[in-house]
Amino acid sequence: MREEDSNWFSRWEEELPSPDELMPLSQSLITPDLAMAFDIRNPNHHHAQQQQSSVQPAPPPPSAAVQPSSQPTLAEFAADSGDLGSGAAGDEPARTLKRPRLVWTPQLHKRFVDAVAHLGIKNAVPKTIMQLMSVDGLTRENVASHLQKYRLYLKRMQGLSGGSGGGANGGSGGAGLGASADPATDHLFASSPVPPHFLHPGRGNSEHFLPFVPVPALQHHHHHQQQQIVAAAVGHPHLQSQYHRPQMGHYGSSPNSQFEHPFLGRQTQQPMHRIGGTPMHNQAPGSYVEDLESANGNGGRKCYVEKQRIAIDLLEENER
DNA sequence: CATCTAATAT
DNA sequence: GATATTAGAT
């Protein structure tokens, strides 16, 4: 028995770069006004690794409300200029904003996984996932696309860990680091632990937690000035794919730590710090999910999306 | 209309 | 290579 077996998990996240540390070198240097101005001037094409602070998916209400206390929004631009020479220039529908490619950072992906875990495979559909994640700028398509890939990843893992046991990587319990079926198909996915239920739905034990989440309507409160600020990480397709993946034969060590990317965005501002000074951190691989179950499981009864959303936020706070 | 899967485009 | 977008079916 190697302690590694139980250690790799407690540290898996610590190795992830924290948003603050990842802060590249821009972001808050840009004032909201600038960002806005930039936004309008963004003719087309990716090449703009800028993120939108308050991107309105469809209706662009001219609410030029510039909030001085904008959260760490990004606005990371840089060499966005050079479009590919030509392309479609000319028309720049301010109404049809084209957002930059979303970059799924490990943190963002983690939120995604948490959301799926909290919802249960059954309710984990693009729309609900997106809602639970509450990341500004995230669209249903973003999630759908990612979900599609994620499902394929899970499927592959099921195949490898189902039956033979072997070693796949750490076994079914821990999907994530250690070994992936194909290092060429999943990079990101390996950065987040995969709840066991994902691998065998209807197997193992607990059927599921959330029997059915009504998910009626999320935040439809009349006054919602909570313009989440995103921050979805966006970047250059080419720039980001510069790093390689020297991870091939790694065994119980630091599998992934070369992930360096933008930051992830948060939503509603939550100046809250630790809770009551109870650092109950270090959750075991299995207990991290259980914690959730108690929150929404049978004992907890049905909860509203809002609650779940909060749950995710808190969870992240704890696991940090 | 939302979702899923596969294929294709950027 | 990672995402986005599309198509066709459910």
Side-chain angles (χ1 to χ4, degrees):
Chain A
M1 298 158 168
R2 303 253 102 120
E3 43 196 346
E4 312 153 13
D5 287 328
S6 40
N7 265 346
W8 70 268
F9 214 104
S10 31
R11 294 180 28 187
W12 76 270
E13 210 175 38
E14 290 185 7
E15 313 211 2
L16 291 180
S18 63
D20 302 297
E21 299 195 295
L22 280 180
M23 278 317 190
L25 354 81
S26 25
Q27 168 227 186
S28 48
L29 295 180
I30 281 82
T31 68
D33 308 54
L34 253 170
M36 222 125 219
F38 198 79
D39 193 38
I40 327 182
R41 282 195 96 200
N42 188 13
N44 43 18
H45 273 130
H46 24 345
H47 262 287
Q49 13 180 316
Q50 49 136 15
Q51 273 128 31
Q52 344 242 331
S53 10
S54 38
V55 188
Q56 267 104 6
S63 52
V66 188
Q67 317 213 335
S69 47
S70 304
Q71 291 227 335
T73 336
L74 36 181
E76 243 223 79
F77 24 38
D80 64 73
S81 35
D83 299 338
L84 280 177
S86 21
D91 80 52
E92 143 259 301
R95 283 171 187 220
T96 346
L97 276 171
K98 234 183 200 153
R99 344 171 163 241
R101 266 169 101 100
L102 179 94
V103 175
W104 286 89
T105 64
Q107 281 86 7
L108 194 52
H109 176 64
K110 210 240 167 198
R111 251 194 116 93
F112 167 85
V113 173
D114 278 347
V116 174
H118 295 150
L119 284 170
I121 319 283
K122 286 152 66 171
N123 304 313
V125 291
K127 202 194 222 169
T128 48
I129 296 173
M130 176 194 69
Q131 288 168 171
L132 252 178
M133 285 179 75
S134 279
V135 173
D136 162 45
L138 237 199
T139 67
R140 189 166 58 77
E141 340 276 346
N142 285 140
V143 176
S145 186
H146 192 66
L147 181 62
Q148 193 175 13
K149 264 188 27 177
Y150 188 60
R151 278 174 172 161
L152 290 176
Y153 167 76
L154 292 181
K155 198 170 243 190
R156 287 216 324 265
M157 281 219 144
Q158 278 182 47
L160 292 181
S161 60
S164 51
N169 66 50
S172 12
L177 320 167
S180 352
D182 272 307
T185 357
D186 41 79
H187 288 143
L188 222 199
F189 301 139
S191 67
S192 255
V194 178
H197 338 64
F198 284 28
L199 298 179
H200 7 267
R203 231 266 193 109
N205 42 37
S206 42
E207 259 291 290
H208 318 349
F209 354 103
L210 269 227
F212 36 83
V213 180
V215 184
L218 343 104
Q219 40 194 137
H220 47 157
H221 284 158
H222 295 118
H223 325 61
H224 37 30
Q225 83 155 135
Q226 54 154 323
Q227 253 325 348
Q228 342 197 337
I229 339 198
V230 152
V234 221
H236 216 157
H238 282 119
L239 279 176
Q240 70 155 101
S241 36
Q242 285 298 28
Y243 56 80
H244 282 197
R245 43 149 175 167
Q247 62 154 179
M248 250 185 146
H250 46 298
Y251 287 117
S253 251
S254 351
N256 51 340
S257 50
Q258 60 250 19
F259 279 121
E260 39 188 277
H261 279 170
F263 25 94
L264 104 137
R266 271 216 113 50
Q267 44 152 61
T268 46
Q269 40 178 334
Q270 37 187 219
M272 42 157 35
H273 306 95
R274 299 258 169 207
I275 344 188
T278 311
M280 56 192 284
H281 45 281
N282 71 34
Q283 306 216 334
S287 56
Y288 107 120
V289 184
E290 292 180 341
D291 214 74
L292 292 170
E293 296 189 69
S294 55
N296 64 36
N298 297 325
R301 210 82 51 94
K302 59 186 189 173
C303 11
Y304 302 86
V305 180
E306 249 182 71
K307 267 194 185 170
Q308 296 190 261
R309 205 211 86 224
I310 292 172
I312 288 193
D313 280 350
L314 291 177
L315 202 125
E316 297 213 335
E317 279 293 322
N318 287 335
E319 293 195 332
R320 270 164 106 141

